[in-house]
């Protein structure tokens, strides 16, 4: 059977060059970077090379990158690692963050920190005015993501940055964390330019290895490590470095940088999404796109994530029916699938009933082709028809 | 610290001449339950079962507390016939029992020594022992007083042929009858909260269980099946292994959706399930079905619909949950470790096509009429042909 | 040049079956275990299989294993994740723990927890009597390792367990964490039997991949996660599972279990160490073995770590001289090598001056051979002679 993988926001298939880099690091550079001898030095060099590549992709200095054991760990290091300072006791985040951010904030709450959760509009977008209104004298951290993982809403970072800059100009100390895990490799990242202090990325969302992520930490940002110990990663993440994982991340970052430099690839990715969305909406009566409208000139719309509701069907049933046709998609975010039947993101956008229950996420990557999209459209249409016939 | 466990098994002690068979089965079940904890010796002595194991007592107790048929467990110290050792052992056992008792500051802890001497060669009589050990404990454990009528702690000392046994704690067992003592039944296992509890309750009465699950791939995915396997695995904490029959139910469900009136679909689906279960029960020599139904007001749980569903088979159907409230069922599910698995949200065949207005009081004629368009025999044969049997064993 | 890798306590070279498992997981089981479709289920199964293998090796149930992003993370999850309870405000550890334990305790101290650091004797061994004396009503955690990573001292776990059991019998609640990262795969692990509540292991010390570890968590042990988020690993370690790393860990655990079952391999390993130690001590005047005496009947002596001081030489200089001869060793622990000239472990054992400065750690694994050991002895003797001639 033909297989079309459209669950790239859950995870991606590693690029061949990534697999090669991982194997090389395991077979040749197997030393411990902390070891003083050649084996250690060589392993350390592999880490340094990867750090340079990842940093370059984010337009920052290598010394500002901390490698972590995954995206969620980077997020937790940022959200929980920031020292509130003498006056800080308030954190602002949004209703559509990933559980990593929301649950890390939940842990802060247990420690007595107050959390303000900003609402979103019907497309999943935060209003910078709401941020301005929520900022307080004792706000020490703002955690607002770049691209939402469930509906692909792109938050207005420029305008949010302006609000934060204004607040800082008034003499207030405030750190800003951006969860860029879904945006990385798809949209340009420029944390330094925007005044972002902390930015999380995860390798496996860009065809790198699982279990490795990175946190950009702006110069002079004080953080408390989650993992204390031998003092690796400038003391911010102890433990023997995951040399193969980091090398694989570097290899993925190098490919992603090439893709990003070529403006055609970005256009091509968006064109695929558009083809998918328009194909399905045109042929399936009642189907609705959740999130920002899919138009090339819409800056709120990410090029790779399309969330569509099929009223009258259960998302999970459609998912399995598509699986039966070799098409792999997701209901809501992968992490939430287990416990949370109704996605917190769609709920925050005001979805209810059949639109909430019948939502499916298609997530694309550079490796998908037009043919695959056509196959997916054709089979989605057929699967929906078949199921609707049963449900009459 | 404990190395011996005195097992009491009330109910089966009463079973007259069946007793040896019951005991043998219980001993077998105990041995099997302790297999993963390391070497253990299980033997029968004086109306008790004596288990000896050097493994971590917490682990042993955890396993024993899941063997049906056990009424009480006395973790014990097996000691040489030496007065000093016996006194020290009694003190250790007392301390351990005291740790489990809520103390009220200011009031002393009450205790009593109950010595029994079945080995008359031992130089001290039981009353002498009571005095000797009691005195030692009073001297070495501050804040203790004797209460012969209603003590908080009974330190029991048994002087046997070669050893002395000392135990002070008495831990409640699950009770019931040893699994296998009452024959075999087939459990209709969905992914919900109820059916695993029903299976557990049947096992508690000594019934060996095989499970049947109706799977509607591709409408329900591999994870919903994995969830059912996990439920079986959780139940294997109470029995050796469970055979799981996974029936391919998709075609039947599709046919029902296509051909039967909406309000009767649940009834007919259940009738088809019962028919399939009956055939599997026949093959496996199971004597009854067990379901998680209880009496309520939802579709398949009214007496009317139970009657209509039951009509298609001639096996007894046990519904151990009829007398329980939903909250009781949930508590039991939490206790036996199936609740967290059951609440995973994956769709199963029963949640797939829920009609908006199911008939709550269906009549047999209606059901028979509604089934007419179905090629029942062919559907059953087709589903059974694609049934896969899995052996779910306990994981260490 | 011939290469003899004797730095296996810093890290090991992955077994070929480990590399294969990692590659397979990257190329075939690349799904996200949280995804509902087949790709997710298959990836989840790979994790389950690995969990079963790792659990079996520790004699515990699969549900009691939490995979983490490395050994240090497992340690931090244990030490910082334990809830002190209402009365708890005191933690006991030892002077010879790895920095992961000591620095995690340091973070607890910042939160107002009191830390007692037990001393060790001249061989690096803790006295159970000291533990008994240090236990207090408000002690809620004891962190004592199994095998020390610098000198290979095996702590008397049985006796420590007896002290802890006694304390618990008196009605006190207390959790015990064992850092078994150096012991795992070399000495039998039986946490359940000893009443150990938390036990850390790390894959890359047993020829598994870097960046993956595991924490054994005894039933009914409450822990707070370090990484909050999607709720993976029973909520104790969120983040998309490192499927390749975990699969690789499983493959290593399977090999290690085979080695462990074969009592000859353990004997062989010890024989190699003995050959090395006796060879060097016999031929190098003044050389001293640090740590427990290397005798087969000495339960305090680990079979794979030998720490030897060469008075009059600097450890680092000798290390590089050996490196020039293709022999890779370490001064003190790898993590400490960079920052900490005098090892905290050797200092705790009372070493000073030349003995402290001239210490070298040789650490062995099952992959080493007699020939390698002979080569190492010969060249160590030669290197020391050469250097002493220079320094005289
Ligand atoms: C005893 C001990 N504990 C903890 C660690 C930390 O493990 P990892 O480097 O895998 O994080 C090590 C190894 O460096 C160790 O030897
Ligand atoms: C927006 C966002 N944040 C955080 C995460 C967590 O990343 P990881 O699963 O690599 O830990 C994800 C992916 O699951 C994500 O999409």
């Amino acid at each position: 059977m033909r297989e079309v993988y459209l669950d790239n926001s859950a995870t991606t298939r590693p690029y061949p060059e990534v697999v090669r880099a991982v194997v090389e690091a395991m077979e040749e550079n197997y030393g411990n970077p902390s070891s003083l001898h050649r084996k250690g030095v060589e392993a350390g060099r592999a880490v340094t090379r990867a750090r340079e590549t990842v940093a370059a992709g984010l337009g920052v200095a290598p010394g500002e990158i901390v490698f972590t054991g995954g995206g969620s760990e980077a997020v937790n290091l940022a959200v929980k690692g920031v020292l509130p300072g003498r006056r800080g006791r308030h954190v602002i985040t949004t209703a559509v963050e990933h559980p990593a951010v929301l649950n890390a904030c939940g842990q802060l709450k247990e420690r007595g920190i107050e959390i303000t959760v900003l609402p979103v509009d019907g497309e999943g977008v935060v209003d910078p005015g709401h941020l301005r209104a929520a900022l307080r004298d004792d706000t020490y951290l703002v955690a607002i993501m770049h691209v939402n993982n469930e509906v692909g809403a792109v938050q207005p970072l420029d305008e949010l940055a302006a609000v934060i800059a204004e607040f800082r100009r008034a003499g207030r100390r405030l750190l800003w964390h951006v969860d860029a895990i879904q945006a990385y490799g798809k949209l340009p990242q420029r944390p330094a330019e925007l005044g972002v202090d902390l930015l999380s990325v995860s390798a496996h969302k860009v065809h790198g290895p699982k279990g490795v992520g990175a946190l950009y930490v702006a110069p002079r940002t004080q953080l408390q490590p989650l993992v204390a110990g031998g003092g690796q990663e400038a003391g911010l993440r102890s433990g023997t470095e995951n040399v193969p994982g980091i090398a694989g991340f570097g290899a993925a970052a190098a490919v992603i940088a090439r893709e990003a430099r070529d403006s055609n690839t970005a256009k091509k990715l968006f064109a695929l999404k558009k083809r998918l969305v328009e194909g399905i909406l045109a042929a399936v009566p009642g189907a609705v796109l959740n999130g920002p409208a899919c138009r090339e000139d819409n800056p709120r719309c990410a090029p790779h994530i399309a969330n569509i509701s099929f009223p009258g069907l259960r998302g999970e049933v459609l998912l399995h029916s598509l699986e039966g046709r070799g098409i792999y998609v997701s209901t809501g975010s992968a992490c939430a699938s287990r416990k949370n039947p109704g996605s917190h993101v769609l709920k925050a956008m005001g979805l209810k009933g059949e639109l909430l229950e019948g939502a499916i996420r298609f997530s694309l990557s550079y490796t998908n082709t037009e043919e695959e999209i056509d196959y997916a459209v054709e089979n989605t249409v057929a699967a929906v028809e078949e199921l609707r016939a049963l449900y009459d | 610290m404990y190395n011996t466990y005195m097992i009491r098994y009330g109910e089966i002690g009463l079973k007259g001449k069946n007793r040896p068979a019951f005991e043998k089965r219980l001993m077998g079940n105990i041995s099997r339950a302790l297999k993963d904890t390391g070497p253990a010796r299980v033997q029968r002595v004086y109306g008790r079962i004596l288990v000896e194991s050097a493994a971590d007592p917490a682990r042993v107790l955890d396993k024993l507390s899941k063997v049906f048929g056990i009424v009480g467990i006395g973790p014990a110290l097996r000691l040489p016939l030496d007065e000093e050792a016996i006194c020290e052992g009694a003190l250790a056992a007392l301390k351990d029992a005291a740790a489990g008792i809520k103390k009220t500051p200011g009031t002393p802890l009450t205790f009593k020594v109950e010595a029994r001497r079945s080995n008359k060669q031992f130089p001290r009589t039981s009353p002498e022992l009571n005095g000797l050990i009691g005195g030692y404990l009073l001297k070495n454990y501050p804040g203790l007083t004797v209460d012969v009528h209603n003590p908080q702690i009974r330190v029991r000392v048994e002087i046997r042929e070669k050893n002395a046994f000392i135990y002070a704690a008495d831990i409640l067992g699950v009770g019931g009858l040893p699994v296998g003592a009452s024959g075999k039944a087939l459990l209709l296992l969905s992914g919900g909260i109820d059916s695993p509890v029903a299976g557990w309750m049947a096992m508690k009465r000594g019934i060996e269980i095989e499970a049947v699950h109706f799977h509607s791939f591709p409408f329900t995915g591999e994870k919903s099946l994995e969830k059912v396997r996990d439920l079986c695995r959780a139940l294997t904490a109470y029995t050796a292994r469970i055979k799981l029959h996974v029936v391919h139910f998709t075609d039947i469900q599709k046919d029902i959706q296509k051909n039967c009136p909406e309000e009767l679909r649940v009834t007919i689906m259940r009738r088809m399930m019962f028919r399939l279960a009956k055939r599997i029960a026949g093959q496996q020599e199971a004597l009854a079905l067990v379901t998680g139904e209880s009496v309520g007001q939802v579709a398949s749980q009214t007496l009317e619909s139970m009657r209509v569903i039951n009509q298609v088979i001639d096996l007894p159907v046990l519904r151990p949950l009829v007398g329980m409230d939903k909250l009781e069922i949930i508590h039991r599910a939490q206790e036996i470790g199936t609740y967290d698995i059951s609440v995973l949200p994956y769709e199963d065949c029963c949640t797939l096509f829920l009609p908006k207005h199911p008939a709550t009081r269906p009549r047999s004629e209606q059901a028979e009429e509604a089934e007419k368009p179905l090629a029942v025999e062919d559907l059953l044969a087709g589903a059974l042909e694609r049934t896969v049997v899995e052996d779910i064993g306990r994981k260490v």
Side-chain angles (χ1 to χ4, degrees), chain A, chain B:
Chain A
M1 188 178 47
R2 174 137 195 197
E3 292 205 334
V4 178
Y5 187 78
L6 296 178
D7 202 11
N8 290 287
S9 288
T11 193
T12 55
R13 181 175 177 156
Y15 285 134
E17 39 275 77
V18 169
V19 179
R20 274 200 299 277
V22 169
V23 170
E24 190 190 307
M26 284 199 290
E27 290 183 340
E28 327 253 314
N29 295 326
Y30 61 85
N32 185 327
S34 296
S35 290
L36 296 176
H37 50 70
R38 189 181 314 135
K39 292 279 168 212
V41 174
E42 280 163 7
R45 266 197 210 119
V47 172
T48 302
R49 271 196 305 275
R51 197 186 307 279
E52 285 165 3
T53 314
V54 171
L58 298 172
V60 303
E64 293 158 12
I65 294 297
V66 175
F67 285 117
T68 66
S72 297
E73 192 192 313
V75 166
N76 275 261
L77 171 56
V79 171
K80 298 189 300 201
V82 172
L83 302 160
R86 210 149 27 90
R87 293 194 317 173
R89 52 178 303 275
H90 180 231
V91 169
I92 300 176
T93 185
T94 82
V96 294
E97 299 296 309
H98 187 271
V101 172
L102 292 176
N103 291 340
C105 285
Q107 291 187 321
L108 291 181
K109 201 167 164 183
E110 285 170 21
R111 295 187 209 158
I113 303 292
E114 215 178 307
I115 312 288
T116 296
V117 179
L118 300 180
V120 293
D121 65 15
E123 296 187 342
V125 177
V126 174
D127 178 346
H130 285 151
L131 172 62
R132 182 177 294 113
L135 283 165
R136 308 191 322 206
D137 270 0
D138 59 356
T139 310
Y140 72 92
L141 175 69
V142 169
I144 301 185
M145 72 199 319
H146 190 180
V147 171
N148 173 270
N149 48 306
E150 294 197 35
V151 300
V154 181
Q155 303 303 339
L157 295 196
D158 284 297
E159 297 162 50
L160 295 165
V163 172
I164 288 171
E166 192 187 313
F167 186 78
R168 282 178 180 153
R169 270 200 302 282
R172 264 78 139 248
R173 211 189 62 94
L174 174 79
L175 295 189
W176 182 15
H177 171 252
V178 171
D179 174 348
I181 289 174
Q182 288 295 341
Y184 179 58
K186 305 296 189 312
L187 297 178
Q189 297 301 310
R190 32 195 186 98
E193 211 176 295
L194 289 173
V196 169
D197 306 284
L198 299 156
L199 184 134
S200 301
V201 296
S202 183
H204 74 98
K205 307 284 186 188
V206 294
H207 305 276
K210 291 180 177 59
V212 51
L215 182 67
Y216 157 72
V217 182
R220 283 176 299 282
T221 308
Q222 292 281 327
L223 277 189
Q224 209 146 30
L226 279 184
V227 180
Q232 290 89 344
E233 296 294 312
L236 287 176
R237 208 302 183 175
S238 288
T240 301
E241 294 88 339
N242 177 358
V243 183
I246 291 170
F249 191 178
V255 180
I256 282 294
R258 270 204 306 282
E259 304 277 11
R261 261 197 304 279
D262 179 355
S263 64
N264 277 331
T265 25
K267 281 208 190 107
K268 205 195 104 195
L269 184 61
F270 180 80
L272 290 180
K273 166 170 159 178
K274 197 167 156 166
R275 192 181 184 97
L276 178 87
V277 170
E278 293 182 348
I280 291 174
L281 294 192
V284 179
V288 182
L289 177 74
N290 301 313
C294 180
R295 285 195 325 267
E296 212 152 338
D297 60 354
N298 182 0
R300 299 283 74 79
C301 144
H304 59 308
I305 299 176
N307 191 303
I308 300 181
S309 285
F310 300 88
L313 294 183
R314 303 246 191 154
E316 193 181 322
V317 175
L318 179 53
L319 177 149
H320 289 306
S321 177
L322 290 173
E323 178 184 359
R325 294 157 182 271
I327 299 166
Y328 303 110
V329 300
S330 146
T331 64
S333 84
C335 302
S337 319
R338 279 213 176 150
K339 290 208 194 124
N340 217 351
S343 136
H344 72 284
V345 173
L346 297 180
K347 281 184 199 157
M349 289 162 57
L351 265 70
K352 289 200 187 61
E354 294 204 329
L355 287 177
L356 185 61
E357 275 175 22
I360 285 284
R361 176 184 72 181
F362 300 86
S363 50
L364 283 56
S365 188
Y366 298 115
T367 46
N368 291 121
T369 64
E370 272 190 17
E371 274 164 36
E372 287 182 340
I373 297 299
D374 291 342
Y375 180 84
V377 170
E378 215 171 278
N379 279 279
T380 304
V381 174
V384 172
E385 269 170 18
E386 189 187 289
L387 289 172
R388 285 207 173 141
L390 286 177
Y391 278 91
D392 61 52
Chain B
M1 81 174 182
Y2 297 112
N3 49 21
T4 304
Y5 304 82
M6 298 273 193
I7 308 284
R8 288 186 294 115
Y9 46 92
E11 187 167 8
I12 72 173
L14 305 173
K15 300 277 185 212
K17 66 180 189 321
N18 289 333
R19 184 173 159 158
F22 275 88
E23 283 169 338
K24 208 168 138 215
R25 192 174 292 278
L26 180 57
M27 286 167 60
N29 290 357
I30 290 172
S31 301
R32 214 172 300 120
L34 294 178
K35 211 175 57 201
D36 315 327
T37 61
R41 208 164 82 155
V42 180
Q43 51 183 323
R44 205 168 39 108
V45 281
Y46 311 105
R48 305 272 174 84
I49 289 171
L50 200 68
V51 174
E52 291 173 80
S53 163
D56 177 20
R59 292 227 158 206
V60 174
L61 286 170
D62 179 58
K63 300 282 185 198
L64 291 177
S65 69
K66 290 176 178 151
V67 177
F68 290 120
I70 294 183
V71 170
I73 309 157
L77 290 161
R78 179 163 165 268
L79 299 168
L81 293 173
D82 167 75
E83 272 176 30
E84 200 175 316
I86 291 171
C87 283
E88 278 169 18
L91 180 63
L94 175 91
K95 280 184 181 167
D96 193 45
I101 289 177
K102 268 259 278 290
K103 287 169 214 94
T104 3
T107 52
L109 192 69
T110 59
F111 85 108
K112 174 189 181 187
V113 178
E114 294 177 357
R116 234 175 47 187
R117 184 182 61 144
S118 54
N119 168 6
K120 302 297 176 195
Q121 310 294 68
F122 193 73
R124 304 262 190 185
T125 65
S126 303
E128 280 172 7
L129 276 168
N130 286 343
L132 184 82
I133 298 167
Y136 181 85
L137 295 181
L138 284 167
K139 201 170 76 198
N140 289 285
Y141 193 98
L144 203 61
T145 54
V146 178
D147 180 345
V148 289
H149 302 296
N150 197 13
Q152 287 170 290
I153 299 173
R154 287 171 202 271
V155 178
R156 284 171 248 238
V157 178
E158 297 193 17
I159 305 294
R160 299 245 167 104
E161 205 73 13
K162 296 201 186 81
N163 294 104
F165 292 92
I166 298 180
Y167 53 110
D170 189 37
I171 294 160
L172 225 54
V174 261
L177 299 173
V179 172
S182 313
K184 183 156 75 182
L186 190 64
L187 168 70
L188 274 63
L189 186 63
S190 72
I193 295 167
D194 299 338
S195 50
V197 176
W200 184 87
M201 306 237 332
M203 289 196 297
K204 184 170 188 222
R205 297 311 300 166
I207 298 171
E208 183 188 340
I209 287 293
E210 289 189 18
V212 56
H213 176 72
F214 301 95
H215 191 54
S216 295
F217 190 83
F219 303 123
T220 56
E222 185 65 26
K223 286 213 171 176
S224 85
L225 187 53
E226 201 68 37
K227 173 178 164 182
V228 170
R229 291 189 188 114
D230 284 343
L231 286 171
C232 285
R233 229 163 261 143
L235 289 176
T236 60
Y238 296 89
T239 182
R241 48 192 348 105
I242 291 182
K243 235 192 218 178
L244 171 66
H245 303 260
V246 180
V247 178
H248 179 80
F249 201 56
T250 322
D251 299 336
I252 295 181
Q253 238 178 336
K254 276 192 188 169
D255 256 29
I256 295 175
Q257 283 296 122
K258 275 189 205 134
N259 299 305
C260 304
E262 182 175 358
E263 66 279 5
L264 285 169
R265 282 179 196 156
V266 174
T267 309
I268 292 168
M269 184 180 82
R270 305 278 310 165
R271 280 162 69 101
M272 294 302 281
M273 288 178 176
F274 272 42
R275 289 182 175 115
L276 289 164
K278 183 203 149 150
R279 298 197 185 193
I280 294 171
Q283 291 160 12
Q284 304 299 319
E285 297 175 5
L287 301 171
L289 302 187
V290 178
T291 79
E293 291 161 308
S294 56
V295 180
Q297 290 314 308
V298 286
S300 60
Q301 314 239 345
T302 62
L303 293 179
E304 286 88 346
S305 63
M306 279 186 196
R307 188 173 59 124
V308 175
I309 291 164
N310 249 69
Q311 267 162 354
V312 299
I313 60 165
D314 54 5
L315 279 181
V317 178
L318 308 180
R319 297 180 173 88
L321 308 189
V322 276
M324 291 169 83
D325 298 340
K326 193 71 199 175
L327 270 182
E328 289 177 74
I329 297 170
I330 287 174
H331 282 154
R332 183 48 57 76
Q334 283 165 337
E335 255 169 51
I336 66 174
T338 56
Y339 182 79
D340 288 344
I341 306 168
S342 288
V343 294
L344 295 173
Y346 317 125
E347 307 272 2
D348 65 46
C349 72
C350 302
T351 58
L352 256 190
F353 302 109
L354 281 178
K356 291 198 182 67
H357 305 288
T360 48
R361 302 185 194 294
R363 283 175 293 114
S364 334
E365 312 85 73
Q366 281 178 309
E368 276 155 25
E369 183 60 33
E371 272 176 8
K372 281 227 172 98
L374 302 181
V376 172
E377 279 309 313
D378 292 348
L379 285 173
L380 296 180
L384 288 172
E385 204 169 288
R386 298 177 66 182
T387 293
V388 178
V389 186
E390 301 180 14
D391 199 359
I392 311 278
R394 196 200 325 254
K395 287 273 159 61
V396 182

